[in-house]
Amino acid sequence: MANKPSIPKGTRDFLPVQSLRRQYIFDTARKVFQQFGYVPIETPAMELSETLLGKYGDEGDKLIFQVLDSGEKPIKASQQKLSKINLKEVFREVTKELIIELVENLEDFGSNQSLEFSEGLIEQWLLEKSSLIGLLDKGIQNDVASSLAPLIYDFYINSIYYKWRHGRADQSRVEFFNYVTNPPVRKRLIEESLTSFERKYTSELSKYEDLSRDIIIGRKELYTSASEKALRYDLTVPLARFVVQNQNELSFPFKRYQIQPVWRADRPQKGRYREFYQCDVDVIGSDSLLNEAELLCIIDEVFTNLGLSDVRIRINNRKILSGIAASAGISEHFQTMTVAIDKLDKIGVDGVKEEMLRNGLPEAGVKKVLNLIKLKGEATGTLKMLAGAVVGSEEAYKGIDEVKSVLKALPEAVREKVELDLTLARGLNYYTGAIIEVGHDDFPSSICGGGRYDDLTGIFGLNDMSGVGVSFGADRIYDLMEEKNLFPETLKAASQVLFVNFGKEEVMSAIRLAADLRTEGLSAEVYPDEAKMKKQMKYANDKGVRFVVIIGEEEHRAKTATVKDMLSGEQDALNQKDLVSFINDKLS
Amino acid sequence: MANKPSIPKGTRDFLPVQSLRRQYIFDTARKVFQQFGYVPIETPAMELSETLLGKYGDEGDKLIFQVLDSGEKPIKASQQKLSKINLKEVFREVTKELIIELVENLEDFGSNQSLEFSEGLIEQWLLEKSSLIGLLDKGIQNDVASSLAPLIYDFYINSIYYKWRHGRADQSRVEFFNYVTNPPVRKRLIEESLTSFERKYTSELSKYEDLSRDIIIGRKELYTSASEKALRYDLTVPLARFVVQNQNELSFPFKRYQIQPVWRADRPQKGRYREFYQCDVDVIGSDSLLNEAELLCIIDEVFTNLGLSDVRIRINNRKILSGIAASAGISEHFQTMTVAIDKLDKIGVDGVKEEMLRNGLPEAGVKKVLNLIKLKGEATGTLKMLAGAVVGSEEAYKGIDEVKSVLKALPEAVREKVELDLTLARGLNYYTGAIIEVGHDDFPSSICGGGRYDDLTGIFGLNDMSGVGVSFGADRIYDLMEEKNLFPETLKAASQVLFVNFGKEEVMSAIRLAADLRTEGLSAEVYPDEAKMKKQMKYANDKGVRFVVIIGEEEHRAKTATVKDMLSGEQDALNQKDLVSFINDKLS
């Protein structure tokens, strides 16, 4: 390959500084999650396709990457071969030869042999025939053979014996064998057998033709092999699968976090990648609203620790939205309503209104909905007004109570930051209670979001496991932090100290001193090659090394060193034995 | 899905304690790598297939997982549809309509227009036509269109213009347009054109029929799409690809580490997984032997920090092995020799001897090799004896010098642990200098290994970039550490403090105190549900929580708390305001 190498579209390499910064985000989140008693899990990148497919809607299914073993290609090649075969012709030939062989073999049995040659024997012959021809796929071959064998056996014994019995009443087996092995009789028998057999197995064969056609066009086999494994699309479905599969190993309520990549075959564009990380934190098996409150504290803590204490944390409750729909008389359009409301930021009130009307919602209902969701201001007041407006909707009341409880369980400092936003809908997600979304005024998309599912694990057969959680969008948080220049200066892709390499002898002091610095917890490296001073200094500069230590011939002899502080430009000469404390002083 | 869910064979879920322990290994390695000035990178899970295939031998290629978009299934469906189409008929129809349209368009050009409507225009019409019919795969469509367009253009212009010129000598263009747009003439022209065109493009079309057949049976398109992306098989080839692709962003020598999963479609068995992590640390672009020494220090440091200071670190040099082969007169069998020697641990000296003889190596040569590689003991002495035995092999001398230099650059404490083992071969790897392998007496497989490649990035077109590195087998190190019980007790999937939940009111104290503890850097959680005391205590016990704090109705009123130390069983009553310092004291 002489072309410049590249990577699949929508995927990215991360250079050292980027990797360090990503790691910083993950470590910060991880630390907070653990402080709140959440524990990590990891699930495999590949899940069984049946685990993933059908969980994200038709559109989601299309975005799932399916995984093949390389070894699965030969299956396709044999399917290709098979597609060129007229299966009926092949079977007719095989059967014809088989019957001729059977009759010929009767001669060898001799008059004192038992007639009871087994079905197994016929099956074996049939298999040998078809494998000699070598055209049939192994799976089909066994299937056909074992199913055709008794048919052939029955036909053969019955038709021949019947004919013989009919001609001569109650004869001995010796006479039967003499009869069927008489050449002209045999010839006629073979012909009659073939004709009658072909008629009999036509219906049987048609089954196998269908099967082979399935294989040829890939409807069955190929599909199955291609869809056996797939890359995970998010961390929520794998979590549900994990909880059900490992339920006996877990303590409930199960508070877990998970920081792993997910893959989506989305059309790549700015800020949208085909591989990206999710940081999910969820509680499974508790419907207490303290969990919602705790997650809001976690959100506040993570973003504050990242220097983003000015994020906008918005909450709402699907029960409130459902109650609003009910009181506006459009309950049956709930999904349409939430999907439309979800676009409010993008298309404005008029756009939302238009979308709802276009989808057949009555104008009065739409108007009422839009009036209600635009209620704003301090949460207690808003909830009070809302309660007055949705009179009679039990569900709305329940949602209102839930929001109140969540807010009550928040420490004052967090409560002040959380905003009740009735226009928050998270349209396509199957949340049933709280919904949460975090944004930032300087960033176009949400950077964290989640909510409660009443029955998270039901899809895998474990009922009554409520789940609530949020997902941090690490890649977007990265972009936002970079834009706002929030990464610590210390996240440099460099060691703190670089020793210049002056040659075989001098470098020995450097190696020893570098080890001393590392023992003190510092990072230090020795330039490996005896390159020109200028080149080594450029390396230190490019990487952002803080101190360059020079031990030339003279310094080596005198056990001294010259230290250059690349930040201030200052240069100091000192004894080698004082180096560690010198650097430590400078850094503290 | 009512069946119990599962995961693909050879993959694993990691429960909380396992995840924490794995993270501990990664963090330990990461810290050491960074202290030595190595910087992290990340590469995508999916690489282009062309990047991976052919780099790991035929056996390796078979173990590569290939990735399909789910969206690629519709391609298959359209191929299936396509297989039912008579392609020739379709093209005839398209072309007929096209020519009619072309002639009709001539009218619009008017008499003062140029005849030079471009090939591009025809191509566009052809494309529109075929996409309207919507039966053709995008790939084929462009291909066919761009290849047929000039054919149609040539035919059209030539046949019509020829006919016209023939009828009337040297007429003006105005007259030409009048002629071809005269209705009866036009009708005849179209008919003649069609007949002659059909004859002309028959041979052209047959090519596309072949192509479409290829697509139908999946030989070309499907194959290509299936092999466009693949999951990475190791971190070395992606590193080479990364360095070449990002060379302008990097400082050389480039010292990088990378901790990411890799995937292999190997037959799963104990200790062998289809998804596992590698921790690789490499230096690219420096052939100094100080790098080898540094990597040995890193190995020692990582394993010492993990509590495995008793690992066996063995080194050798492929140049020595090559020199031994030369001096034994079996240079042309070098690969066979190293593959055999590599099995020494498993099949013993006799087995290695037998394998070499069986593969056609001369007995005298085999004997000499076996005599040399069994040299043992202190490195300096061994190298001296070896130098005496390989007289005349420049390569062996070079290897001996390299080993000496590496050993010399090691700090005494590390040098003592590194063992020169001439039987170390790392058979199938393409190392050219140092080879390194780390094992442990209590573990059957190597837990770390690597060496130097003289031309790591050459496969991607960047020459003269020497690389040296080692890879830590995180999963095996995990197994070994678990067996030897080396994980710190503190790695528990639990917070340090759990507050029992006694109800809406009481829990408010708990929430506030938990937040105080976290501010102090401790981990604390509040049980979310008002469950029975017994259930909450069991939860604390199962997770391994150290302190359980009880604030019932009475404690809540009195602003006190009862703290149970789950380790000692001791129970203390105290004021809530003293809780933080109490826990801190207990932990310190």
Side-chain angles (χ1 to χ4, degrees):
Chain A
M1 191 195 310
N3 296 336
K4 197 175 177 199
S6 60
I7 50 179
K9 62 178 178 178
T11 68
R12 294 164 292 169
D13 279 332
F14 294 105
L15 292 164
V17 175
Q18 294 170 319
S19 290
L20 286 170
R21 290 176 169 183
R22 286 162 56 80
Q23 193 65 51
Y24 171 75
I25 294 175
F26 299 146
D27 285 347
T28 303
R30 191 155 60 117
K31 193 176 162 218
V32 173
F33 299 158
Q34 287 186 184
Q35 280 203 313
F36 279 83
Y38 290 73
V39 289
I41 67 164
E42 293 170 76
T43 62
M46 293 185 277
E47 292 277 350
L48 294 176
S49 295
E50 57 181 21
T51 300
L52 303 184
L53 292 173
K55 308 299 190 298
Y56 306 104
D58 287 348
E59 281 310 303
D61 276 2
K62 283 191 204 139
L63 303 184
I64 290 173
F65 283 111
Q66 307 213 329
V67 182
L68 288 172
D69 296 4
S70 263
E72 286 171 343
K73 268 192 293 188
I75 294 175
K76 271 174 251 158
S78 77
Q79 284 161 357
Q80 185 179 324
K81 242 185 194 167
L82 193 59
S83 71
K84 290 181 184 149
I85 307 303
N86 180 333
L87 207 61
K88 203 173 212 159
E89 265 314 302
V90 171
F91 276 112
R92 180 167 299 147
E93 273 313 299
V94 171
T95 317
K96 191 169 178 177
E97 280 179 52
L98 181 78
I99 290 179
I100 292 170
E101 204 176 321
L102 277 172
V103 175
E104 279 171 356
N105 268 285
L106 279 177
E107 294 178 355
D108 303 334
F109 271 69
S111 54
N112 56 350
Q113 288 280 333
S114 157
L115 188 62
E116 303 184 355
F117 44 95
S118 68
E119 290 185 15
L121 189 64
I122 296 181
E123 190 171 328
Q124 196 192 319
W125 280 333
L126 190 54
L127 270 172
E128 274 171 18
K129 274 291 146 202
S130 51
S131 79
L132 271 174
I133 296 176
L135 294 167
L136 303 174
D137 194 68
K138 190 79 185 166
I140 226 184
Q141 179 179 295
N142 280 312
D143 201 7
V144 170
S146 61
S147 162
L148 278 186
L151 194 76
I152 295 174
Y153 180 83
D154 263 1
F155 155 77
Y156 179 75
I157 299 305
N158 289 340
S159 70
I160 297 184
Y161 203 72
Y162 173 84
K163 195 163 284 285
W164 182 76
R165 287 285 300 254
H166 250 253
R168 316 154 176 235
D170 206 20
Q171 298 294 324
S172 76
R173 284 191 167 167
V174 179
E175 279 185 85
F176 169 66
F177 281 108
N178 289 339
Y179 168 70
V180 293
T181 55
N182 169 286
V185 171
R186 205 182 73 194
K187 187 167 182 293
R188 187 165 45 81
L189 273 176
I190 290 175
E191 277 162 13
E192 282 174 12
S193 302
L194 276 178
T195 314
S196 126
F197 183 76
E198 280 179 14
R199 201 174 50 244
K200 276 183 93 179
Y201 81 169
T202 297
S203 70
E204 199 65 14
L205 266 188
S206 69
K207 273 198 277 176
Y208 301 109
E209 284 186 310
D210 283 346
L211 179 64
S212 73
R213 206 176 305 120
D214 276 357
I215 294 179
I216 294 161
I217 56 178
R219 187 145 48 89
K220 199 171 176 308
E221 269 290 310
L222 182 59
Y223 218 75
T224 311
S225 79
S227 61
E228 197 180 280
K229 302 177 289 293
L231 294 178
R232 71 174 156 247
Y233 176 91
D234 69 2
L235 301 179
T236 304
V237 169
L239 168 64
R241 195 267 312 145
F242 176 97
V243 167
V244 176
Q245 192 175 333
N246 300 288
Q247 52 186 290
N248 298 327
E249 319 285 328
L250 306 176
S251 308
F252 290 95
F254 179 54
K255 300 167 74 173
R256 88 87 175 76
Y257 71 87
Q258 188 171 358
I259 302 177
Q260 290 194 291
V262 301
W263 293 268
R264 296 183 186 176
D266 237 325
R267 190 200 303 263
Q269 51 179 256
K270 192 172 160 17
R272 196 202 277 162
Y273 308 105
R274 301 189 119 191
E275 172 178 52
F276 58 96
Y277 267 71
Q278 289 192 332
C279 306
D280 276 25
V281 52
D282 293 83
V283 187
I284 315 296
S286 160
D287 48 21
S288 162
L289 295 166
L290 292 184
N291 298 304
E292 275 85 339
E294 185 167 88
L295 289 169
L296 290 167
C297 292
I298 288 176
I299 287 171
D300 177 55
E301 187 78 13
V302 168
F303 284 112
T304 300
N305 291 357
L306 290 174
L308 283 166
S309 55
D310 55 346
V311 292
R312 278 183 67 191
I313 307 173
R314 297 180 299 150
I315 61 166
N316 196 5
N317 192 298
R318 294 278 280 200
K319 294 192 181 82
I320 290 182
L321 287 172
S322 172
I324 286 177
S327 75
I330 56 161
S331 281
E332 73 273 30
H333 300 288
F334 181 60
Q335 188 70 15
T336 312
M337 178 189 101
T338 54
V339 169
I341 292 177
D342 209 36
K343 298 178 188 160
L344 191 68
D345 284 348
K346 281 178 200 144
I347 61 179
V349 176
D350 290 345
V352 172
K353 185 175 175 182
E354 198 187 309
E355 177 165 331
M356 290 200 275
L357 292 175
R358 197 175 55 238
N359 281 298
L361 275 69
E363 189 155 1
V366 170
K367 225 168 151 185
K368 176 147 195 193
V369 167
L370 292 176
N371 268 330
L372 287 177
I373 63 170
K374 76 178 181 198
L375 290 175
K376 271 207 180 304
E378 186 268 326
T380 320
T382 306
L383 290 171
K384 207 166 192 173
M385 281 194 283
L386 186 65
V390 295
V391 174
S393 167
E394 280 307 317
E395 193 152 23
Y397 292 155
K398 208 167 166 208
I400 290 168
D401 279 348
E402 286 188 8
V403 172
K404 278 186 189 164
S405 300
V406 171
L407 291 173
K408 190 179 165 227
L410 289 177
E412 184 61 28
V414 180
R415 196 185 311 140
E416 278 172 4
K417 294 187 189 173
V418 174
E419 180 183 336
L420 172 63
D421 182 351
L422 298 175
T423 70
L424 181 64
R426 292 186 74 80
L428 276 170
N429 286 297
Y430 301 138
Y431 298 115
T432 50
I435 43 186
I436 300 171
E437 198 162 289
V438 185
H440 192 283
D441 289 341
D442 300 339
F443 202 73
S445 339
S446 110
I447 51 179
C448 175
R452 179 175 287 277
Y453 302 73
D454 269 346
D455 187 20
L456 179 69
T457 57
I459 40 172
F460 298 111
L462 180 66
N463 294 317
D464 300 322
M465 274 282 176
S466 187
V468 59
V470 292
S471 179
F472 290 80
D475 293 82
R476 289 175 175 177
I477 294 171
Y478 179 99
D479 290 345
L480 173 59
M481 287 181 65
E482 190 162 62
E483 207 175 293
K484 297 181 74 69
N485 207 10
L486 290 175
F487 289 106
E489 268 302 305
T490 51
L491 287 182
K492 270 191 186 149
S495 19
Q496 293 158 308
V497 184
L498 174 86
F499 290 84
V500 176
N501 186 336
F502 279 90
K504 278 202 168 55
E505 278 313 310
E506 295 84 344
V507 83
M508 289 300 158
S509 301
I511 290 174
R512 188 175 40 76
L513 289 166
D516 291 347
L517 287 167
R518 288 185 207 113
T519 307
E520 289 292 304
L522 299 169
S523 59
E525 61 182 303
V526 179
Y527 195 88
D529 303 281
E530 268 175 71
K532 288 216 175 79
M533 180 76 173
K534 196 176 158 193
K535 188 174 175 190
Q536 300 193 41
M537 290 305 286
K538 183 178 184 314
Y539 173 88
N541 207 50
D542 286 350
K543 279 186 89 174
V545 166
R546 171 74 187 270
F547 301 101
V548 173
V549 181
I550 295 159
I551 303 174
E553 203 185 332
E554 202 171 313
E555 286 97 341
H556 180 60
R557 227 181 353 242
K559 295 197 192 260
T560 58
T562 303
V563 181
K564 179 166 184 180
D565 185 337
M566 302 290 276
L567 203 61
S568 64
E570 281 168 25
Q571 212 157 306
D572 292 274
L574 40 89
N575 282 324
Q576 289 182 10
K577 67 178 167 45
D578 300 327
L579 181 69
V580 174
S581 58
F582 177 83
I583 301 276
N584 261 334
D585 286 352
K586 281 272 197 173
L587 284 172
S588 63
Chain B
M1 189 196 308
N3 296 336
K4 197 174 177 199
S6 60
I7 50 179
K9 63 178 176 177
T11 67
R12 294 163 292 168
D13 278 332
F14 294 106
L15 292 164
V17 175
Q18 294 170 320
S19 289
L20 285 170
R21 290 177 169 182
R22 286 162 55 80
Q23 193 65 50
Y24 172 73
I25 294 174
F26 299 145
D27 284 347
T28 304
R30 190 154 59 117
K31 194 178 160 213
V32 173
F33 299 158
Q34 287 186 185
Q35 279 203 314
F36 279 82
Y38 290 74
V39 289
I41 66 164
E42 293 169 76
T43 62
M46 293 185 279
E47 292 278 351
L48 294 176
S49 296
E50 59 180 20
T51 299
L52 303 184
L53 292 173
K55 308 299 190 301
Y56 307 103
D58 288 348
E59 282 310 304
D61 276 2
K62 284 190 203 138
L63 303 185
I64 290 172
F65 283 110
Q66 307 213 328
V67 182
L68 288 173
D69 297 3
S70 259
E72 285 171 343
K73 265 194 292 188
I75 294 177
K76 270 175 249 156
S78 77
Q79 283 160 358
Q80 190 175 324
K81 243 185 195 167
L82 193 59
S83 72
K84 290 179 188 151
I85 308 302
N86 182 331
L87 206 62
K88 206 172 213 158
E89 266 313 303
V90 172
F91 275 112
R92 179 165 301 146
E93 273 311 301
V94 171
T95 316
K96 192 170 180 177
E97 281 178 52
L98 181 78
I99 289 179
I100 291 170
E101 207 175 321
L102 277 171
V103 175
E104 278 171 357
N105 268 286
L106 279 177
E107 295 177 355
D108 303 336
F109 271 69
S111 55
N112 55 348
Q113 288 281 333
S114 159
L115 188 64
E116 301 184 357
F117 44 96
S118 67
E119 290 185 15
L121 189 64
I122 296 181
E123 189 171 330
Q124 196 192 320
W125 281 332
L126 190 55
L127 270 171
E128 273 169 20
K129 273 293 147 198
S130 50
S131 79
L132 272 175
I133 296 177
L135 294 166
L136 302 175
D137 193 69
K138 190 78 184 168
I140 226 184
Q141 180 179 295
N142 280 311
D143 203 6
V144 170
S146 61
S147 164
L148 279 185
L151 196 73
I152 295 173
Y153 181 83
D154 263 0
F155 155 73
Y156 181 76
I157 299 304
N158 289 338
S159 71
I160 297 184
Y161 204 73
Y162 174 81
K163 196 162 285 286
W164 181 76
R165 289 284 302 251
H166 251 250
R168 314 156 178 237
D170 206 20
Q171 299 295 324
S172 75
R173 285 193 167 166
V174 179
E175 280 185 83
F176 169 66
F177 281 108
N178 289 339
Y179 169 69
V180 295
T181 54
N182 168 286
V185 170
R186 206 179 73 193
K187 188 166 180 292
R188 188 167 45 81
L189 272 177
I190 291 175
E191 277 162 11
E192 282 175 11
S193 301
L194 275 178
T195 314
S196 127
F197 183 76
E198 280 180 15
R199 201 173 52 244
K200 275 182 96 181
Y201 81 171
T202 296
S203 69
E204 200 65 18
L205 264 188
S206 69
K207 273 198 273 174
Y208 300 109
E209 284 187 307
D210 283 346
L211 179 64
S212 74
R213 206 176 305 120
D214 276 356
I215 293 179
I216 293 161
I217 57 177
R219 187 145 50 88
K220 196 173 178 308
E221 268 291 311
L222 183 59
Y223 219 76
T224 312
S225 78
S227 59
E228 196 181 281
K229 301 177 290 292
L231 295 178
R232 71 175 155 245
Y233 177 90
D234 69 1
L235 302 180
T236 305
V237 170
L239 169 63
R241 195 267 310 145
F242 176 97
V243 167
V244 176
Q245 193 174 332
N246 300 288
Q247 51 187 291
N248 298 327
E249 319 286 327
L250 307 175
S251 307
F252 292 96
F254 180 54
K255 301 168 73 174
R256 88 87 173 79
Y257 72 87
Q258 188 172 357
I259 302 178
Q260 288 193 293
V262 301
W263 294 269
R264 296 183 185 177
D266 236 324
R267 190 200 303 264
Q269 51 179 256
K270 191 172 161 16
R272 195 202 278 161
Y273 308 106
R274 302 189 116 191
E275 173 179 49
F276 58 97
Y277 266 72
Q278 290 191 333
C279 306
D280 276 25
V281 51
D282 292 83
V283 187
I284 315 296
S286 159
D287 48 20
S288 162
L289 296 165
L290 292 184
N291 298 304
E292 275 86 339
E294 185 168 85
L295 289 168
L296 290 167
C297 292
I298 288 175
I299 288 172
D300 177 56
E301 188 77 12
V302 168
F303 284 111
T304 300
N305 290 358
L306 290 174
L308 284 166
S309 55
D310 55 346
V311 291
R312 280 183 66 192
I313 307 173
R314 297 180 299 149
I315 61 166
N316 196 7
N317 192 297
R318 294 278 280 199
K319 295 194 181 82
I320 291 182
L321 288 171
S322 172
I324 286 177
S327 74
I330 57 161
S331 282
E332 73 274 30
H333 299 289
F334 181 61
Q335 187 71 14
T336 312
M337 179 189 101
T338 54
V339 169
I341 292 177
D342 208 37
K343 298 180 186 158
L344 192 68
D345 284 348
K346 283 180 198 141
I347 61 177
V349 177
D350 290 346
V352 173
K353 186 175 174 181
E354 198 185 309
E355 177 165 330
M356 288 200 277
L357 292 175
R358 197 174 55 239
N359 281 298
L361 275 69
E363 189 154 4
V366 169
K367 224 168 151 185
K368 176 146 195 195
V369 167
L370 292 176
N371 268 331
L372 287 178
I373 63 170
K374 78 179 180 199
L375 288 176
K376 268 203 182 306
E378 187 269 325
T380 320
T382 306
L383 290 171
K384 205 166 192 173
M385 282 195 282
L386 186 66
V390 294
V391 174
S393 167
E394 279 309 316
E395 193 152 24
Y397 292 155
K398 208 166 169 209
I400 290 168
D401 279 347
E402 287 189 8
V403 172
K404 278 186 188 162
S405 300
V406 171
L407 291 173
K408 190 177 165 228
L410 290 176
E412 184 61 28
V414 180
R415 198 184 311 141
E416 279 171 4
K417 293 186 189 173
V418 174
E419 184 182 333
L420 172 64
D421 182 351
L422 299 175
T423 70
L424 180 64
R426 293 187 73 81
L428 276 172
N429 285 298
Y430 300 140
Y431 296 116
T432 51
I435 42 184
I436 301 172
E437 197 163 289
V438 185
H440 192 284
D441 289 342
D442 299 339
F443 202 74
S445 338
S446 109
I447 51 180
C448 177
R452 179 175 286 277
Y453 301 74
D454 269 346
D455 187 18
L456 180 68
T457 57
I459 39 172
F460 297 111
L462 180 65
N463 294 318
D464 299 322
M465 274 279 176
S466 187
V468 59
V470 293
S471 179
F472 290 79
D475 293 81
R476 288 175 176 178
I477 294 171
Y478 180 99
D479 290 346
L480 173 59
M481 287 181 65
E482 189 163 64
E483 208 176 293
K484 298 183 72 72
N485 208 10
L486 290 175
F487 288 106
E489 268 303 305
T490 50
L491 286 182
K492 269 188 187 154
S495 20
Q496 293 159 309
V497 183
L498 175 87
F499 290 84
V500 175
N501 185 336
F502 279 91
K504 279 203 168 50
E505 277 313 310
E506 295 85 343
V507 84
M508 289 302 159
S509 302
I511 290 174
R512 187 177 40 76
L513 289 165
D516 291 347
L517 287 167
R518 289 186 207 111
T519 306
E520 288 293 304
L522 298 169
S523 60
E525 62 184 303
V526 179
Y527 195 89
D529 303 281
E530 268 176 69
K532 289 215 175 82
M533 179 76 173
K534 196 175 154 192
K535 189 174 174 189
Q536 299 192 43
M537 291 304 286
K538 183 178 182 315
Y539 172 87
N541 206 49
D542 287 350
K543 279 187 88 173
V545 167
R546 172 74 187 271
F547 301 101
V548 173
V549 179
I550 295 160
I551 303 175
E553 202 185 332
E554 202 171 313
E555 285 96 341
H556 180 61
R557 227 180 355 243
K559 296 200 191 255
T560 59
T562 303
V563 181
K564 179 164 182 179
D565 184 337
M566 303 290 276
L567 201 63
S568 65
E570 280 167 26
Q571 212 158 305
D572 292 273
L574 41 89
N575 282 325
Q576 288 182 12
K577 66 177 168 50
D578 301 327
L579 181 69
V580 174
S581 58
F582 177 83
I583 301 275
N584 260 334
D585 286 351
K586 280 272 198 173
L587 284 172
S588 63

